[in-house]
Amino acid sequence: MGNYLYSEGIKELRAGNFENAQRLVEQAKKQGDASVEELHAMAFAMDGHGQRGFATELLREALKQQPSAAEPACVLAMFHLEKQEDEQAAAILKPALAASPDHPKANLCMAMALAKTEAAKARAHAAKAMKDTDADVRAQAEALDKVLAQHEPR
């Protein structure tokens, strides 16, 4: 990571010093030189330590910098899907899929976001996710497609 404050923030978080980690991250955010990758990594670390609200804030900051960034979009979309906020998840994923239409994880997340309302579109996104080399993404996409097939055969 290029930003010293983010690196130190992650070290502090791993050491269990949440207050110090948050202070360092806030300081880095004020400087405004954190990369999308750094924001995503810190959000991942924060969420892993039970700080979902702060993780969400960091992901939104990353997407404000680069709305088409697929990885932070997928994570933030999943946070929304967990709360049954499917429309918000789909809206977050649209710029990422516009920039990278074949991104497997973004397609899997979009398939989940559309599953209840637009099964045919959801299946099209699941089909793209099924082409991934990651066995876990493929398995999730295949399982979702099986369920969707009961409602929207090809």
Side-chain angles (χ1 to χ4, degrees):
M1 286 187 187
N3 187 307
Y4 168 78
L5 293 171
Y6 273 91
S7 298
E8 287 303 306
I10 288 178
K11 285 180 191 172
E12 288 293 317
L13 189 61
R14 287 182 182 147
N17 303 324
F18 174 71
E19 289 78 18
N20 284 342
Q22 189 170 11
R23 181 183 53 75
L24 288 165
V25 171
E26 290 295 341
Q27 192 176 345
K29 277 176 50 181
K30 284 179 187 164
Q31 289 179 359
D33 61 353
S35 70
V36 169
E37 292 79 16
E38 288 170 328
L39 291 163
H40 178 246
M42 193 63 187
F44 182 80
M46 287 289 183
D47 190 54
H49 284 82
Q51 301 300 320
R52 175 66 55 94
F54 198 54
T56 298
E57 184 182 319
L58 292 169
L59 292 168
R60 285 191 179 123
E61 182 70 28
L63 292 173
K64 197 183 303 178
Q65 277 186 35
Q66 186 182 345
S68 64
E71 294 303 320
C74 289
V75 176
L76 188 56
M78 288 305 299
F79 289 176
H80 283 286
L81 288 169
E82 288 172 6
K83 296 188 295 186
Q84 305 296 312
E85 298 171 348
D86 300 355
E87 286 180 30
Q88 291 92 326
I92 289 164
L93 292 163
K94 280 182 185 177
L97 285 169
S100 302
D102 295 322
H103 191 281
K105 245 187 189 172
N107 275 290
L108 176 60
C109 291
M110 185 62 92
M112 288 188 258
L114 299 175
K116 295 177 201 164
T117 57
E118 299 182 60
K121 284 184 182 179
R123 287 196 78 194
H125 286 287
K128 288 182 179 183
M130 285 189 273
K131 295 177 184 174
D132 194 16
T133 56
D134 182 319
D136 188 44
V137 171
R138 260 195 336 270
Q140 288 179 56
E142 289 167 1
L144 179 59
D145 188 63
K146 241 183 224 181
V147 171
L148 292 170
Q150 296 171 3
H151 304 285
E152 187 70 36
R154 283 191 211 244

